[in-house]
Amino acid sequence: MSFAENRRIALVTLVVDDYDRAKAFYCEALGFECLSDQPLGDGKRWVVVKPQGTEGGALLLAQADGEPQRFAVGNQTGGRVGFFLHTDNFQSDYETMLARGVRFLEEPRHEAYGSVAVFSDPYGNRWDLLEPRG
């Protein structure tokens, strides 16, 4: 028995403090598109965003429910960079994100693997903006 050939990670849950605040950051500041924003009842929603024009995975923005989930907001990866936003034009995206108020935690750097700068979402989750080399 073997696995199917066509498998992929479709969604990653990102625990947030507020649906609308998170959706605004990802869609307005980062330029993501909203694929879904559906009510589920009891104040819960199914909110899915992803970078525009991509076929890759998306984020399920899940509002924290209860103390353990509220504690995880902004610390889902223990302070490490946990999310990687690839681009084919680092400088343009970097400047656009700065102009839209995205907080970068370092100056851009050029490594053997590409151009990169770490930024933070409103919760403290760390992201790499990365233009891979060749």
Side-chain angles (χ1 to χ4, degrees), residues 4 13 19 21-22 26 33 35 38 56-57 64 69-71 77 79-80 88-89 94 97 104 109 116 122 127 130:
T13 299
Y19 290 116
R21 179 177 179 218
Y26 286 99
E33 63 182 310
L35 299 178
Q38 301 296 317
Q69 289 182 20
R70 280 191 284 280
F71 181 73
T77 60
R80 293 186 62 121
D88 62 358
N89 191 331
Y94 175 76
M97 290 166 66
F104 280 86
R109 54 186 209 279
V116 63
W127 287 72
L130 174 63

Side-chain angles (χ1 to χ4, degrees), residues 50-64:
K50 74 176 187 88
Q52 288 188 7
T54 65
E55 294 297 322
L59 294 175
L60 173 64
L61 303 177
Q63 187 167 295

Side-chain angles (χ1 to χ4, degrees), residues 18-32 34 37 45 47 49 61 100 102 122-123:
D18 179 82
Y19 290 116
D20 293 324
R21 179 177 179 218
K23 182 178 168 185
F25 175 77
Y26 286 99
C27 292
E28 295 169 18
L30 297 188
F32 285 23
C34 182
D37 188 347
R45 291 162 41 191
V47 181
V49 299
L61 303 177
R100 293 180 179 182
V102 174
Y123 311 103

Side-chain angles (χ1 to χ4, degrees), residues 7 30 54 63 68 80-81 83 88 99 110-111 122 125:
R7 300 187 324 152
L30 297 188
T54 65
Q63 187 167 295
R80 293 186 62 121
V81 171
F83 306 95
D88 62 358
H110 306 286
E111 304 289 349
N125 293 304

Side-chain angles (χ1 to χ4, degrees), residues 92-132:
S92 176
D93 283 357
Y94 175 76
E95 290 171 7
T96 299
M97 290 166 66
L98 273 178
R100 293 180 179 182
V102 174
R103 185 172 65 99
F104 280 86
L105 305 178
E106 64 180 22
E107 293 297 315
R109 54 186 209 279
H110 306 286
E111 304 289 349
Y113 56 85
S115 297
V116 63
V118 177
F119 68 93
S120 174
D121 70 11
Y123 311 103
N125 293 304
R126 292 171 178 245
W127 287 72
D128 269 0
L129 174 64
L130 174 63
E131 181 177 356

